[in-house]
Amino acid sequence: MHVRSFQLSDCSPVTELLQAALSEECFENTIEPFSRQLSWDSDLIVVAEEEGEIVGALIGTIEKNHGCYFRIAIHPDYRRRGIGRSLVSAMESRFQARKVNGIYVVGDEHNAAALPLYEAMGYGENQIFKSVRKLSIVGQ
């Protein structure tokens, strides 16, 4: 498994991954922020590849100099293999390189299943960002 930066050619495979990995409602709430973040700063989108196939993606953003894990998606056939942990570590390094003031996890209802991953990686309750509607990538 290889984690790398998002490339323009990944647009369709990542969209397909989001559809496969997320509920329909979560997908609908994710696709516009994904597009917005892609146009603003695609370096804050990382993908996990296995044998040339994209099996995971993490959309991050920076809001008021705070890094934020917006949405993580792992293909159902590849879960529980450490892909999520690798994606979070890669994004954390990007946030640290940009010297953000802190790193937070979006704590909306769609990220509930991923919260144990973030907690296992040291992100506690005080790092859960509950005001997701205020994020620039989400819009109004």
Side-chain angles (χ1 to χ4, degrees):
M1 190 256 315
H2 172 66
V3 174
R4 62 172 176 77
S5 295
F6 180 93
Q7 300 168 354
L8 194 54
S9 60
D10 296 330
C11 205
S12 289
V14 168
T15 300
E16 291 170 15
L17 168 71
L18 294 173
Q19 283 183 305
L22 306 175
S23 70
E24 186 175 333
E25 180 185 2
C26 183
F27 174 78
E28 294 299 323
N29 291 334
T30 302
I31 198 67
E32 187 176 326
F34 165 61
S35 299
R36 210 174 263 127
Q37 185 60 42
L38 187 56
S39 70
W40 289 347
D41 188 350
S42 64
D43 195 45
L44 293 179
I45 301 172
V46 292
V47 298
E49 223 177 19
E50 189 147 310
E51 297 178 16
E53 181 182 350
I54 293 178
V55 297
L58 175 58
I59 303 165
T61 192
I62 294 178
E63 189 75 32
K64 297 180 182 165
N65 203 36
H66 288 87
C68 190
Y69 303 112
F70 176 69
R71 189 77 69 224
I72 191 166
I74 310 298
H75 192 283
D77 295 342
Y78 291 86
R79 291 182 180 156
R80 309 213 50 87
R81 297 186 188 183
I83 294 169
R85 185 175 285 273
S86 295
L87 288 167
V88 171
S89 292
M91 186 66 70
E92 184 175 59
S93 295
R94 288 164 194 242
F95 288 149
Q96 290 170 345
R98 294 182 184 207
K99 299 183 179 3
V100 297
N101 290 334
I103 303 174
Y104 295 88
V105 177
V106 168
D108 69 359
E109 68 274 14
H110 301 299
N111 274 349
L115 288 180
L117 164 68
Y118 293 112
E119 289 167 0
M121 294 187 73
Y123 292 94
E125 182 65 30
N126 63 337
Q127 292 170 294
I128 306 298
F129 184 69
K130 306 238 190 297
S131 301
V132 67
R133 297 278 179 237
K134 294 181 181 176
L135 288 175
S136 298
I137 65 169
V138 174
Q140 305 304 341

